[in-house]
């Protein structure tokens, strides 16, 4: 079965609202990462966050290992935040990433 | 630093034809990854090179897919006898030592369409 469940599949917000994206893992979490992909664009790493909370500007990532989940919070969303956000879990091999299905975020002006 | 360069950006082939995709990793990066992305399957790992040596190709469909890294400046993914189900965006990524987010850089991908 799918090891990484990402939700919601899509999210539409008004500019200025906050966004909360979730990833749940069915196996023990080695470490996890968040990526951003603009339509037609390449993947850009946002966070490498094996545990705890990390913040970068308006983005905050929180990983709770024992609960096998990770979240990405975007505060005061902007239209430029629109795109697809993907989480990925690092397997024990230490180089293979297992990917979530992505959250398509649309921020309306 | 031009980032990871993938060529071509788009490729259209007829069923049964061969397709070769190219990747130029970031200079100095020792790890190169190939992934495939489709709407249905999402992102799938294909293969991994470290210092030009193939480490893991467990994600590669064995019969028609092959990948090489003849030198540290480029890697190729070759698909023989392409089939419509091979249509996808093929992504190459490079890294200094491993896939941690601080060091994993993706190219813009090659969109392969098999008619």
């Amino acid at each position: 079965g799918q090891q990484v469940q990402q939700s919601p599949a899509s999210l539409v917000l008004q500019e200025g609202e906050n966004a909360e994206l979730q990833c749940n893992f069915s196996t023990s979490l080695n470490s996890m990462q968040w990526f951003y992909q603009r339509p037609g664009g390449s993947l850009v790493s946002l966070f490498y966050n094996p545990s705890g909370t990390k913040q970068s500007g308006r983005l905050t990532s929180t990983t709770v290992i024992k609960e096998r989940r990770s979240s990405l919070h975007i505060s005061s969303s902007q239209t430029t935040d629109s795109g697809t956000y993907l989480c990925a879990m690092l397997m024990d091999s230490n180089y293979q990433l297992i990917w979530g299905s992505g959250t398509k975020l649309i921020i309306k002006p | 630093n031009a980032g990871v360069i993938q060529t071509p950006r788009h490729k259209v082939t007829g069923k049964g034809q061969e397709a070769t995709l190219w990747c130029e990793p970031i200079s100095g990066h020792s790890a190169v990854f190939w992934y495939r992305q489709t709407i249905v399957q999402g992102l799938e790992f294909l293969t991994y090179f470290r210092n030009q040596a193939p480490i893991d190709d467990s994600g590669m469909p064995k019969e028609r897919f092959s990948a090489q890294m003849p030198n540290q400046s480029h890697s190729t993914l070759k698909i023989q006898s392409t089939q419509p189900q091979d249509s996808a965006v093929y992504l190459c990524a490079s890294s200094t030592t491993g896939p941690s987010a601080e060091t994993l850089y993706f190219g813009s991908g090659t969109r392969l369409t098999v008619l």
Side-chain angles (χ1 to χ4, degrees):
Chain A
Q2 193 170 1
Q3 299 184 57
V4 181
Q5 299 282 350
Q6 191 167 351
S7 62
S10 62
L11 183 61
V12 181
L13 298 172
Q14 289 295 131
E15 192 170 29
E17 293 183 312
N18 298 332
E20 188 81 15
L21 285 58
Q22 296 282 347
C23 272
N24 291 283
F25 304 87
S26 59
T27 61
S28 296
L29 182 60
N30 187 3
S31 67
M32 65 76 52
Q33 307 169 37
W34 285 93
F35 293 85
Y36 168 72
Q37 186 175 37
R38 192 175 293 280
S42 58
L43 284 157
V44 176
S45 63
L46 297 174
F47 290 105
Y48 171 73
N49 187 10
S51 67
T53 298
K54 287 191 174 182
Q55 184 174 3
S56 176
R58 295 180 295 104
L59 274 60
T60 303
S61 170
T62 300
T63 298
V64 184
I65 294 177
K66 62 181 179 181
E67 296 180 12
R68 297 182 181 177
R69 63 175 176 86
S70 182
S71 64
L72 179 67
H73 181 85
I74 304 173
S75 62
S76 303
S77 62
Q78 301 175 0
T79 56
T80 51
D81 294 331
S82 297
T84 299
Y85 292 80
L86 294 120
C87 64
M89 179 178 73
L90 191 62
M91 292 185 68
D92 289 339
S93 65
N94 208 35
Y95 58 81
Q96 275 207 35
L97 292 171
I98 304 299
W99 298 82
S101 54
T103 293
K104 185 175 182 180
L105 179 64
I106 298 172
I107 306 298
K108 293 186 174 181
Chain B
N1 188 344
V4 177
I5 300 172
Q6 287 190 250
T7 55
R9 286 299 307 273
H10 304 274
K11 186 170 182 67
V12 180
T13 66
K15 183 178 176 180
Q17 292 183 327
E18 182 177 288
T20 300
L21 314 180
W22 295 75
C23 171
E24 181 180 330
I26 292 174
S27 178
H29 282 190
S30 59
V32 173
F33 303 82
W34 283 95
Y35 289 88
R36 175 169 64 180
Q37 186 176 30
T38 62
I39 293 176
V40 174
Q41 298 292 334
L43 271 153
E44 300 173 284
F45 167 83
L46 293 176
T47 190
Y48 164 49
F49 293 88
R50 186 194 300 147
N51 295 322
Q52 299 174 233
I55 303 297
D56 184 349
D57 66 353
S58 60
M60 298 269 279
K62 290 294 184 285
E63 295 83 20
R64 299 180 294 105
F65 284 58
S66 63
Q68 293 183 330
M69 192 162 184
N71 56 61
Q72 62 184 2
S73 64
H74 88 272
S75 175
T76 58
L77 179 66
K78 183 179 292 185
I79 308 172
Q80 295 178 314
S81 185
T82 55
Q83 302 296 311
Q85 61 264 32
D86 299 332
S87 297
V89 175
Y90 289 82
L91 293 164
C92 176
S94 73
S95 170
T96 52
T97 56
S100 63
E102 288 89 349
T103 58
L104 189 59
Y105 298 88
F106 280 85
S108 297
T110 295
R111 181 175 295 276
L112 175 66
T113 302
V114 182
L115 302 176

